Amino acid sequence: MNGNTFRMPARRLVTVAAATALAAGPAALAGAGTAHATGDHGRASATVLRTGLDVSLLNKTVNVPLTVTLNEVRAPESAEKTALTARLDGVDGGKPFSVLRADVAQAKATATATKSEGRTELAHARVHVPGLPLLSLIELEKVTSTATCEAGKAPVADANLLGAVTVLGKKVTLTTGGPTEVKVPGVGEVRLDLSRTQTTSRTAAATALELDVSVNPLDLNVAEVDGTLTLAEATCESPAAPESEAAQPPAKGEEPAAEPEAEPAADVRPQGARAEADLAETGGSSATPYIAAGAAALVVAGGGALVLARRRRG
């Protein structure tokens, strides 16, 4: 009777110790896997053309907005439409009119865990506004813009204008020193800003051309057209840095970052840290301490059972 009473706890101890050791190993491995998760993807966008114009009509006291875009994409997307038409109530009887026609009009935005980029290209393009069906607001040979954001690197924005530019029928030379103004008597005026770029620690934006428009065509029932027009725009935002990079120790000569009081200082190694590193170098894994603990529990339990058996026989 007494023998059975002591045997059952010993057997249970052996079983529980083995189960605990086996369950702890996989749990530790699962926790180690999530510690090295990578950061979120970045963001990027690209737009070939965007308008924000107010069209005033001759026979009405209202303004009709012209707000259209061509090839506006966000990562991961791309578009290659080369023409844009629009309709406005009260303008030329509501017939569609051409806003932009081009040989090339591409927009592309990509984003991964390490890099995001927006890119646009516009070539051999003509832009029109309501009331000027025959005279182009602007004609250009080629413009490009690129915004690139890589994790851990400074963002880069770049915009380029290649070839000749004609505004309201007049050839103009644009410079990066400031806006260029073009005035045509009886038609209106346009102010152009060339290659506008902006960067921060994690973002970049590039615009090849931005136009401030104020024209009075007095044709097709249109009195005035005012507003802005943007060509070849690209933006990006850097992906979040992976946790493994964020947790790297400081370089030699640099002071370690402040740690919470509950955690050990940066120059103090926790007990057992070197032992785990040595096991990893010789072929062990993060589950090795749990297997060793389980084995120790089995030895202790077996020794206890042996002592009890000898007492019973005595």
Side-chain angles (χ1 to χ4, degrees):
M1 185 72 175
N2 291 339
N4 290 335
T5 302
F6 285 99
R7 282 178 196 167
M8 293 301 293
R11 290 176 181 174
R12 289 176 184 171
L13 178 62
V14 173
T15 303
V16 170
T20 302
L22 292 175
L29 292 175
T34 58
H36 298 285
T38 58
D40 294 335
H41 287 200
R43 296 178 178 85
S45 68
T47 307
V48 168
L49 176 142
R50 179 185 292 110
T51 69
L53 301 172
D54 285 328
V55 181
S56 300
L57 305 182
L58 284 174
N59 59 354
K60 295 184 180 179
T61 59
V62 298
N63 292 338
V64 181
L66 176 62
T67 305
V68 293
T69 60
L70 179 68
N71 295 351
E72 182 176 35
V73 298
R74 298 184 183 277
E77 291 182 15
S78 62
E80 296 184 5
K81 293 181 181 178
T82 58
L84 174 65
T85 60
R87 294 173 183 263
L88 289 179
D89 292 338
V91 177
D92 196 18
K95 297 178 182 178
F97 62 91
S98 171
V99 179
L100 180 140
R101 291 190 181 277
D103 290 347
V104 177
Q106 298 178 340
K108 186 176 182 180
T110 59
T112 67
T114 59
K115 177 182 177 181
S116 61
E117 184 176 68
R119 181 185 295 272
T120 61
E121 180 181 349
L122 182 62
H124 302 291
R126 294 184 178 186
V127 179
H128 292 268
V129 295
L132 294 176
L134 302 179
L135 181 62
S136 299
L137 177 70
I138 184 172
E139 298 180 18
L140 52 87
E141 290 190 19
K142 185 176 181 180
V143 290
T144 63
S145 64
T146 305
T148 305
C149 298
E150 293 189 54
K153 295 184 179 181
V156 178
D158 184 56
N160 292 295
L161 173 65
L162 306 173
V165 176
T166 302
V167 178
L168 297 177
K170 297 176 63 174
K171 285 191 175 182
V172 298
T173 301
L174 305 179
T175 66
T176 57
T180 300
E181 294 187 1
V182 179
K183 297 182 180 181
V184 178
V187 178
E189 61 184 64
V190 178
R191 189 183 74 173
L192 301 88
D193 284 321
L194 172 66
S195 302
R196 299 180 61 178
T197 61
Q198 183 178 6
T199 60
T200 67
S201 60
R202 286 193 61 188
T203 65
T207 301
L209 277 174
E210 187 169 274
L211 288 70
D212 287 331
V213 180
S214 178
V215 297
N216 50 340
L218 301 178
D219 194 11
L220 302 180
N221 197 35
V222 176
E224 294 180 354
V225 179
D226 295 283
T228 61
L229 189 146
T230 302
L231 291 170
E233 182 181 60
T235 69
C236 67
E237 180 179 348
S238 298
E243 292 183 10
S244 57
E245 293 182 7
Q248 286 182 351
K252 257 188 176 182
E254 295 182 3
E255 293 185 3
E259 298 281 347
E261 293 184 2
E263 297 180 3
D267 57 347
V268 178
R269 297 293 299 274
Q271 295 295 323
R274 183 58 189 168
E276 293 183 12
D278 289 340
L279 288 171
E281 291 169 4
T282 55
S285 69
S286 58
T288 303
Y290 297 95
I291 297 173
L298 292 173
V299 173
V300 173
L306 181 60
V307 171
L308 292 175
R310 288 180 178 175
R311 286 182 179 177
R312 187 180 69 254
R313 290 174 183 173

